[in-house]
Amino acid sequence: MSRVCQITGKKAMVGNHVSHANNKTKRRFHINLMKKRFYVPSEDKWVTLNVCAQGLKTINKIGIEEALERSKKEGLIK
C-alpha cells in the first residue's frame, strides 16, 4: 500500500539535502502516517485507516462518518 493519508490525501514531498558546502542531493519528506482503527457507530463496525496527524485532527473536528464520506467522494477510499 502506498504511503498516502486516506483522509487528507497527503503524500511524501521531494526536496534536497543541502550540505554546509551547498551540495544538493535529493531526499523525500515523508508524512507522519499511522495505522488507526475507528469505530463507526452507524455501521456498528471498526474501520482501519492509514491517516496522518492532520487526518486525525480532521476526524476529531468533523467526525469519522463525515470524514469517511468526504474521502470516498474524493476517491481516497473505496
Side-chain angles (χ1 to χ4, degrees):
M1 175 167 279
S2 62
R3 295 186 54 83
V4 177
C5 178
Q6 292 181 310
I7 297 298
T8 61
K10 286 188 176 191
K11 309 180 217 186
M13 296 188 333
V14 178
N16 289 313
H17 280 290
V18 181
S19 69
H20 184 68
N22 206 27
N23 297 331
K24 296 175 182 72
T25 55
K26 285 292 187 183
R27 63 157 292 182
R28 290 174 59 97
F29 293 93
H30 293 288
I31 61 172
N32 185 8
L33 200 62
M34 298 160 271
K35 185 177 268 193
K36 292 285 187 181
R37 290 177 65 217
F38 299 97
Y39 182 71
V40 183
S42 64
E43 298 177 15
D44 193 34
K45 67 177 185 179
W46 289 88
V47 176
T48 303
L49 297 173
N50 284 326
V51 294
C52 62
Q54 186 64 45
L56 285 175
K57 290 174 75 173
T58 301
I59 290 170
N60 285 336
K61 185 174 181 179
I62 65 173
I64 184 64
E65 293 175 4
E66 178 67 24
L68 287 173
E69 185 178 312
R70 287 185 189 180
S71 61
K72 285 178 185 175
K73 189 185 301 181
E74 292 174 14
L76 299 170
I77 300 177
K78 294 176 178 131

